């Protein structure tokens, strides 16, 4: 977490002295193996036999820090900050579109626009894939 937090890009705007310039996702993947016997750090061939004789449960947790949407006229951003603002807003728009499409009962058989941004592609399995 500390390493990711130090890599997080922030910059000053007219509204905020330390504005986050990107979304941040920290993902924790866990795997639990249930089988007939106990084993630790099995070799590849042992993993194959463990899968056939037992059960593997996998979980993924995404901790997401979304950068806030920005009104370009209020922030007064130009140049590189303007490009960052456009990217932030387009990612938030794409995420909103995916959530709206998933929640709309009339669009159940319709296309869900996961590919419209990096953030929706990364969160696809948690938003509407095989998440339970």
């Amino acid at each position: 977490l500390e390493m990711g937090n130090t890599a997080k890009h922030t910059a000053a705007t007219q509204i905020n002295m330390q504005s986050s310039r990107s979304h941040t996702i920290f993902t924790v993947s866990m795997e639990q193996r249930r089988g007939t016997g106990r084993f630790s750090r099995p070799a590849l061939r042992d993993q194959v036999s463990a899968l056939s004789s037992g059960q593997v449960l996998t979980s993924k947790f995404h901790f997401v820090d979304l950068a806030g949407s920005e009104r370009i006229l209020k922030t007064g951003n130009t140049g590189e900050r303007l490009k960052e603002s456009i990217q932030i807003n387009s990612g938030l728009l794409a995420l909103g579109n995916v959530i709206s499409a998933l929640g709309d009962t009339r669009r159940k058989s319709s296309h869900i626009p996961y590919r419209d941004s990096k953030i929706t592609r990364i969160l696809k399995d948690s938003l509407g894939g095989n998440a339970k």
Side-chain angles (χ1 to χ4, degrees):
L1 283 173
E2 288 176 14
M3 194 169 71
N5 199 33
T6 57
K8 186 175 180 179
H9 186 65
T10 60
T13 65
Q14 287 182 358
I15 294 178
N16 190 349
M17 291 303 298
Q18 196 172 18
S19 177
S20 178
R21 307 312 304 154
S22 61
H23 307 304
T24 305
I25 301 174
F26 179 72
T27 302
V28 177
S29 298
M30 297 187 326
E31 187 175 279
Q32 178 183 17
R33 296 171 188 262
R34 295 180 183 175
T36 56
R38 296 252 183 226
F39 52 88
S40 62
R41 300 257 183 208
L44 184 58
R45 61 179 161 68
D46 294 335
Q47 287 180 356
V48 173
S49 65
L51 292 174
S52 62
S53 67
Q55 182 182 24
V56 178
L57 302 172
T58 58
S59 299
K60 188 185 292 186
F61 297 94
H62 293 293
F63 298 91
V64 181
D65 178 19
L66 297 173
S69 65
E70 299 189 348
R71 301 260 182 226
I72 293 171
L73 292 176
K74 285 186 179 181
T75 60
N77 290 340
T78 58
E80 193 63 32
R81 297 286 170 268
L82 178 60
K83 290 178 186 176
E84 291 168 348
S85 295
I86 292 168
Q87 287 297 109
I88 289 168
N89 290 341
S90 65
L92 292 172
L93 177 65
L95 182 60
N97 289 341
V98 166
I99 292 169
S100 293
L102 290 168
D104 190 354
T105 56
R106 297 170 296 174
R107 294 182 62 178
K108 281 295 180 192
S109 62
S110 181
H111 169 71
I112 308 297
Y114 292 113
R115 291 185 173 187
D116 288 357
S117 76
K118 287 182 184 179
I119 193 161
T120 53
R121 273 182 261 143
I122 292 169
L123 298 176
K124 178 182 178 179
D125 57 344
S126 296
L127 290 170
N130 64 355
K132 294 179 172 102

